Amino acid sequence: MRVLKETPKYPSPQSPPSPSQVTTSTSKTDTVNGSHEFKISGYTLSKGIGIGKYIASDTFVVGGHLWAIYFYPDGKSAEDNSTYVSLFIALASEGTDVRALFELSLLDQSGKARHKVHSHFGRALESGPYTLKYRGSMGYKRFLKRTALETSDYLKDDCLLVQCTVGVVKSQTEGPKIYSISPPPSDIGQHFGQLLESAEGTDINLEVDGEIFPAHKLVLAARSPVFRAQLYGPMRDHDTQWIKVEEIEAPVFKALLHFIYWDALPDMQELAGLSSKWASALMAQHLLAAADRYGLERLRSLCEAKLCEDVAINTVATTLALAEQHHCLQLKSVCLKFVALPENLKAVMQTDGFEYLKESCPSVITELLQCIARISEHSVVSSGYGSEAALDGGDVIGRRVKARVY
């Protein structure tokens, strides 16, 4: 009777691993660079120090190691018999097999920037970067002939300027970040918004057009410099628990409060109580004026962006007047270009808003005429070359602005 033994089966080493078993890592090798400038005063007095003897710079740190510049006035090699000056960079701290590149420069002091530079950066080195141990050095025995040096612009007032750049080679291997935590987005606006909706802890009532809005003084003061002065400044109101707000409609003030607590624009159409985009643009206009009044710069920018998107025949003239009154330069530019287009101009001039623009901001009419003249001139020049005029209604960021009637 034969007994069959079952041999366990293991995957072959040649079998490709399943995707879930594949991991990756990346090795990155780069240089950590640093530079040092060494001023050598009294060059003439340094001559005769002796072949192989050097003047050293102060030590400096690059890549976690100390380095020093060695200047040999009489040269490093006896065979050159002091014909050349030598220049080296040395590892001045304990280190084993420190790999580095270097650049040694003798600076031209005439202002012509004709420096004498020997560099290993940007070159293909056959054996790669140099490897140094403690007090090991790298440089040039025949950096420059002394006779050439002493008649050159490198020497000024008996001084030399040497600059050295060291690049220490560093390698590191990076694997996948197994442990990473993505923090949730900020929800501070939601918390403050819920505080407004619940009216919990309110300590001030704001009366606007007969409607009462409970709020928190500290929140108002933190968000608006105008509220801060009104509630806590030296000229604050006597009664800071009840304030009547004039010259603003209740829906607009509600939108203002929404931004103060939520840090976001509310639903304009819902607040306006109408479904048309025209009503939404009208609400944005009023909210921009309120933002300027209470010093809410972010709200002002949001309203300006909203109005730029919603430029239309029925609203552009009043938006242009608003932009002029509240110094919204980008919005003003968009409106001027929109109105000046031949296909829009006549229709805009027939709106009530254009009459308001003429009465409230007469100077803008002059700017509008200049804009129209520029477009007309551009049209004539373009036609003269047989090409279509580039009157696409582009605004300051190159977006096409099309005429819309709501």
Side-chain angles (χ1 to χ4, degrees):
M1 179 176 169
R2 297 178 63 189
V3 178
L4 297 177
K5 245 184 183 180
E6 186 174 347
T7 304
K9 294 181 179 179
Y10 299 99
S12 168
Q14 286 77 29
S15 300
S18 64
S20 60
Q21 296 174 315
V22 176
T23 58
T24 63
S25 62
T26 302
S27 175
K28 293 183 179 179
T29 301
D30 208 343
T31 58
V32 178
N33 300 337
S35 298
H36 182 79
E37 188 172 286
F38 180 30
K39 183 177 182 180
I40 302 168
S41 298
Y43 162 75
T44 303
L45 296 176
S46 72
K47 293 195 299 181
I49 191 175
I51 296 172
K53 294 185 177 179
Y54 57 81
I55 299 170
S57 71
D58 194 5
T59 57
F60 55 97
V61 179
V62 179
H65 300 281
L66 288 175
W67 303 86
I69 301 170
Y70 290 172
F71 175 70
Y72 297 79
D74 296 329
K76 188 176 183 181
S77 176
E79 64 193 38
D80 291 328
N81 197 26
S82 300
T83 304
Y84 294 88
V85 296
S86 305
L87 197 57
F88 280 73
I89 177 70
L91 179 63
S93 62
E94 296 289 345
T96 303
D97 297 337
V98 178
R99 302 177 70 231
L101 302 174
F102 69 94
E103 179 177 282
L104 288 166
S105 304
L106 194 57
L107 302 184
D108 178 1
Q109 299 186 69
S110 69
K112 299 175 184 176
R114 296 174 180 171
H115 312 307
K116 183 170 180 59
V117 181
H118 289 289
S119 179
H120 291 143
F121 291 93
R123 287 171 51 189
L125 302 175
E126 289 184 8
S127 304
Y130 288 85
T131 302
L132 298 175
K133 299 185 187 307
Y134 176 49
R135 295 198 180 280
S137 62
M138 47 191 176
Y140 298 91
K141 292 180 181 179
R142 297 180 176 181
F143 188 83
L144 185 63
K145 279 192 173 182
R146 289 211 316 185
T147 52
L149 170 64
E150 292 167 5
T151 57
S152 71
D153 289 326
Y154 306 124
L155 186 64
K156 181 180 181 182
D157 300 328
D158 207 28
C159 290
L160 297 172
L161 287 178
V162 176
Q163 188 176 72
C164 176
T165 299
V166 180
V168 179
V169 178
K170 297 279 188 180
S171 296
Q172 63 177 359
T173 299
E174 297 179 355
K177 295 181 179 179
I178 301 172
Y179 304 105
S180 62
I181 299 174
S182 299
S186 172
D187 58 358
I188 189 171
Q190 184 177 0
H191 290 159
F192 276 94
Q194 291 170 352
L195 189 65
L196 175 67
E197 290 181 355
S198 69
E200 184 179 351
T202 57
D203 53 3
I204 185 172
N205 287 308
L206 300 139
E207 183 183 347
V208 184
D209 200 19
E211 191 171 340
I212 307 301
F213 295 93
H216 305 80
K217 286 190 279 189
L218 280 176
V219 176
L220 298 178
R223 299 285 278 156
S224 163
V226 176
F227 275 127
R228 184 162 58 249
Q230 193 173 7
L231 296 171
Y232 295 105
M235 303 298 290
R236 63 182 179 273
D237 294 345
H238 295 294
D239 185 2
T240 58
Q241 293 183 336
W242 188 286
I243 291 179
K244 189 171 184 178
V245 180
E246 305 283 358
E247 299 179 358
I248 187 169
E249 296 178 0
V252 178
F253 192 80
K254 185 177 182 180
L256 185 81
L257 273 184
H258 184 281
F259 172 80
I260 286 176
Y261 280 81
W262 289 90
D263 197 39
L265 284 176
D267 186 322
M268 299 291 200
Q269 292 182 6
E270 182 181 336
L271 278 176
L274 300 170
S275 59
S276 70
K277 272 198 171 183
W278 182 83
S280 177
L282 186 61
M283 174 61 75
Q285 290 176 351
H286 287 294
L287 193 52
L288 187 148
D292 193 31
R293 172 178 171 179
Y294 285 98
L296 298 168
E297 290 301 321
R298 174 170 153 75
L299 177 59
R300 174 184 147 111
S301 297
L302 289 173
C303 291
E304 190 174 357
K306 176 74 174 169
L307 289 167
C308 279
E309 294 173 0
D310 293 339
V311 171
I313 295 291
N314 289 341
T315 59
V316 67
T318 51
T319 298
L320 179 54
L322 187 75
E324 172 70 7
Q325 292 161 357
H326 296 279
H327 312 289
C328 301
L329 300 182
Q330 292 187 29
L331 180 59
K332 178 180 175 181
S333 175
V334 170
C335 292
L336 282 172
K337 290 178 180 179
F338 180 90
V339 176
L341 289 175
E343 60 266 33
N344 297 339
L345 182 59
K346 185 175 180 180
V348 173
M349 291 179 66
Q350 292 174 350
T351 64
D352 294 336
F354 191 78
E355 293 300 318
Y356 171 75
L357 177 66
K358 289 193 297 183
E359 294 175 7
S360 60
C361 306
S363 62
V364 175
I365 301 301
T366 303
E367 293 181 63
L368 176 59
L369 291 173
Q370 292 171 346
C371 192
I372 293 170
R374 282 196 298 270
I375 290 179
S376 299
E377 181 182 355
H378 182 75
S379 177
V380 169
V381 170
S382 299
S383 299
Y385 285 95
S387 61
E388 293 183 1
L391 302 180
D392 63 349
D395 63 12
V396 290
I397 57 173
R399 182 167 33 80
R400 289 181 64 87
V401 179
K402 296 181 181 178
R404 292 187 294 257
V405 181
Y406 300 133

